[in-house]
Amino acid sequence: MGPPGAGKGTQAQFICREHNIPQISTGDMLRNAIAEGTTLGLRAKAIMERGELVSDDVILELVRERLRQPDCVAGCLFDGFPRTVGQADGMRELDISVDVVVELQISDSLIIRRISGRRVHEASGRVYHIEFNPPKVDNVDDVTWQPLVQRHDDSETVVRARVEVYREQTAPLIEYYKRSGVKYYEIDGEATVNEIRQNISDLLKTADT
Ligand code: ADP
Ligand code: ADP
């Protein structure tokens, strides 16, 4: 968990590699649906461009379908899901149990800097930052050499709306999970990528899951 720009996607990739589990990023799944021009994608596009949330029903159906794939049998990592109490309740109804929650904490001023410098390789979801995590060659993906793009919803106005949405609709999940008895870890999201990576790796070892 964490606001936009907290580093969820960046750290999710490391955790998934270390624990050999798939990364289930509802944001990436929605962007793929838009790229493929599916009905769901067409519906989600305008909502995402305003920085609002796609409905709980749509998201839960997307996740339910994804979890039927065989790579999820040994568990998975959710990145950017659940984002509302309704989604967390929906997970319980689907018997999806949560072992560990990792919350990345960062200040509002850093959110804007992180997001305005974010560049992505659309096909793979690989994430860079022009200042903090630049690609080897400006504006080009390190692996495929294809161009990087800025997400449509990464403009400053939309990011401010997304931060509001996070505070109002997603932040209540912090108390929700703290009260539920799952292992809940708060991580300083303002440290370097490698420091955070190490902190999470150490915590997950002690979590013994
Ligand atoms: P989220 O998935 O939470 O929205 P990302 O992982 O996409 O966040 O990170 C947002 C931006 O900040 C990206 O450009 C990424 O390269 C950069 N970034 C991520 N973690 C750090 C960090 N610890 N320090 C500096 N920049 C970071
Ligand atoms: P970030 O990590 O920068 O917050 P994401 O890629 O996770 O962004 O999400 C981008 C957008 O996709 C959100 O602003 C929202 O419109 C939509 N979205 C992603 N995940 C969810 C979700 N679990 N519930 C509702 N909307 C979602």
Side-chain angles (χ1 to χ4, degrees):
M1 278 188 57
K8 301 182 295 294
T10 302
Q11 296 299 331
Q13 295 189 6
F14 301 138
I15 299 169
C16 289
R17 223 176 296 150
E18 190 171 339
H19 294 266
N20 201 21
I21 49 173
Q23 171 184 354
I24 300 191
S25 158
T26 42
D28 283 348
M29 290 162 81
L30 292 168
R31 280 185 289 278
N32 286 341
I34 293 175
E36 286 164 10
T38 64
T39 319
L40 163 68
L42 291 174
R43 266 197 234 140
K45 190 169 187 279
I47 299 172
M48 290 169 75
E49 283 177 357
R50 290 196 299 271
E52 293 165 10
L53 294 183
V54 175
S55 76
D56 289 350
D57 287 352
V58 167
I59 295 289
L60 284 164
E61 182 54 26
L62 207 60
V63 169
R64 198 175 68 90
E65 277 293 312
R66 178 65 186 83
L67 289 180
R68 282 164 40 167
Q69 302 298 314
D71 61 337
C72 296
V73 289
C76 68
L77 180 132
F78 290 113
D79 161 16
F81 170 85
R83 253 175 156 99
T84 63
V85 169
Q87 290 176 18
D89 286 340
M91 282 173 87
R92 282 192 176 160
E93 279 160 29
L94 292 171
D95 275 335
I96 307 167
S97 60
V98 176
D99 299 310
V100 181
V101 177
V102 177
E103 181 196 345
L104 293 171
Q105 302 178 325
I106 75 167
S107 64
D108 287 5
S109 55
L110 193 55
I111 291 175
I112 303 296
R113 253 177 97 190
R114 289 260 184 100
I115 296 288
S116 56
R118 171 157 68 183
R119 297 293 180 275
V120 296
H121 176 241
E122 268 184 316
S124 67
R126 266 185 293 281
V127 178
Y128 300 86
H129 192 283
I130 50 173
E131 190 185 344
F132 305 133
N133 177 29
K136 291 189 181 105
V137 176
D138 274 358
N139 255 315
V140 174
D141 177 47
D142 289 350
V143 179
T144 61
W145 299 97
Q146 289 168 343
L148 302 178
V149 297
Q150 189 164 21
R151 274 169 45 179
H152 290 299
D153 60 344
D154 276 356
S155 69
E156 190 166 332
T157 342
V158 181
V159 173
R160 290 193 190 281
R162 283 158 60 202
V163 172
E164 266 309 294
V165 166
Y166 180 80
R167 304 262 180 258
E168 282 170 16
Q169 300 191 54
T170 307
L173 287 176
I174 296 171
E175 282 311 309
Y176 179 103
Y177 279 119
K178 281 185 176 170
R179 274 204 305 264
S180 76
V182 298
K183 296 187 183 79
Y184 191 99
Y185 298 118
E186 289 163 337
I187 302 265
D188 174 11
E190 302 198 359
T192 65
V193 169
N194 279 330
E195 283 165 347
I196 298 170
R197 175 186 189 161
Q198 194 58 55
N199 288 342
I200 295 177
S201 171
D202 292 347
L203 281 174
L204 292 184
K205 274 181 199 125
T206 64
D208 191 35
T209 53

